[in-house]
Amino acid sequence: MGNLIVDGKRTDGRGILDLRPLKLEVGSIKNAAGSAYIEHGKNKIYVAVYGPKDSHRYGTSMEKAVIRCRYHMSPFSTDERKSPQPSRREIEISKVIRDALESSLILDEFPKTLLDIYVEVLQSDGGSRSASISAASIALADAGIPMKDLVEAVAVGKVDGTLVVDLSDKEDKEGEVDLPIAFMLNENMITLLQMDGKMTVEEFKEAVKMAMEAAKKIKEKQKEALGKKYFEKVDEK
Ligand code: ADP
């Protein structure tokens, strides 16, 4: 502790409220019903959505589509080669991504179906679950799944005793608190909230506000990416 913020600047030169560079693209995987690609800092992540497809398998519901999600980090996505076997961390993240997105979707139009979300992390840089959620939400929109709102996520936290937005890998590992949050901004709802570390109630409230402002910026990028695929095509006709 003590060298992550110097003269108000973080190790990568950002101010405390700055997001890392963010690039979002829709429709990157042609074989999928919907897809997206995100570069958030050094995170590079593809999301592909398949379905809703009819299923009579155990676990399907008469009332709505059942979502399955697989978050997977490729063996070359980290500094040291990661085991290709699914880790406990990947199983947990698959679940939280699924849960963060489910409440945004209107699934009762698709009874007895399965909707698969595949998240493939090619390169990771801290905040990969948040980046995956922001990308998966536009992949679901690309697949035509009706939704109440897009979901956008970001990890805020505390480093060197200061609240910061969008933790890098180094800040995630060496900082005091990692707090990934996902929002449905129009609904004024939080769909994911995890916290690793300790902060005061006042700090927590401030951190949520900072995350919300960051989520607004991410939402603009999501809308731009969707617009690029759908509205520019319409304009070309
Ligand atoms: P998130 O990516 O959502 O921040 P974590 O806080 O669990 O999730 O992980 C932080 C970062 O640690 C990841 O983004 C990744 O860069 C790195 N990491 C995670 N798992 C491994 C692993 N098995 N080997 C090496 N680095 C890892």
Side-chain angles (χ1 to χ4, degrees):
M1 184 177 159
N3 57 359
L4 292 172
I5 303 185
V6 178
D7 295 333
K9 294 274 176 224
R10 296 153 75 179
T11 49
D12 53 10
R14 280 185 292 155
I16 58 169
L17 298 177
D18 295 340
L19 286 170
R20 291 171 289 178
L22 178 61
K23 185 179 132 186
L24 277 160
E25 186 184 282
V26 172
S28 325
I29 297 166
K30 302 296 168 222
N31 291 338
S35 60
Y37 173 64
I38 186 166
E39 284 182 12
H40 190 158
K42 296 192 197 85
N43 287 298
K44 294 187 177 182
I45 303 168
Y46 278 103
V47 179
V49 172
Y50 289 84
K53 55 196 169 206
D54 289 337
S55 172
H56 301 284
R57 285 179 51 168
Y58 173 77
T60 49
S61 157
M62 300 298 278
E63 272 91 50
K64 58 179 187 152
V66 168
I67 308 177
R68 300 185 297 190
C69 177
R70 188 189 83 145
Y71 162 100
H72 178 251
M73 280 176 67
S74 69
F76 53 82
S77 64
T78 56
D79 286 349
E80 285 174 41
R81 180 181 173 279
K82 182 207 147 272
S83 160
Q85 299 303 324
S87 62
R88 285 177 59 135
R89 175 180 168 276
E90 286 170 299
I91 294 166
E92 175 219 322
I93 294 184
S94 300
K95 183 181 182 313
V96 299
I97 292 175
R98 183 193 163 285
D99 291 354
L101 294 163
E102 186 173 29
S103 48
S104 74
L105 304 173
I106 299 165
L107 297 171
D108 53 8
E109 291 182 17
F110 311 103
K112 291 188 278 178
T113 63
L114 290 172
L115 184 59
D116 283 313
I117 304 171
Y118 295 102
V119 177
E120 208 54 43
V121 181
L122 303 186
Q123 190 167 285
S124 71
D125 182 31
S128 68
R129 78 193 65 202
S130 316
S132 301
I133 290 167
S134 302
S137 184
I138 52 174
L140 288 159
D142 185 36
I145 311 300
M147 56 179 67
K148 295 179 206 154
D149 195 4
L150 289 166
V151 180
E152 37 285 316
V154 66
V156 291
K158 191 161 120 179
V159 300
D160 287 357
T162 304
L163 297 178
V164 298
V165 169
D166 191 17
L167 298 179
S168 66
D169 194 23
K170 191 175 167 64
E171 290 171 335
D172 182 327
K173 294 202 169 83
E174 297 177 21
E176 296 101 84
V177 183
D178 175 21
L179 178 59
I181 312 187
F183 296 95
M184 273 198 282
L185 291 169
N186 291 350
E187 304 278 312
N188 212 20
M189 276 178 71
I190 288 174
T191 66
L192 165 89
L193 180 66
Q194 295 184 285
M195 187 159 91
D196 186 8
K198 284 186 187 166
M199 56 170 63
T200 65
V201 172
E202 286 315 310
E203 283 173 333
F204 176 77
K205 285 183 187 163
E206 183 58 25
V208 173
K209 267 193 215 155
M210 287 161 70
M212 213 161 168
E213 289 309 310
K216 287 180 191 165
K217 295 181 196 164
I218 298 169
K219 188 166 191 169
E220 283 311 305
K221 296 267 185 184
Q222 287 176 315
K223 290 200 298 198
E224 258 172 47
L226 284 164
K228 202 162 185 180
K229 176 166 177 192
Y230 288 100
F231 300 120
E232 286 183 12
K233 271 207 180 132
V234 173
D235 289 347
E236 279 165 18
K237 279 183 190 161

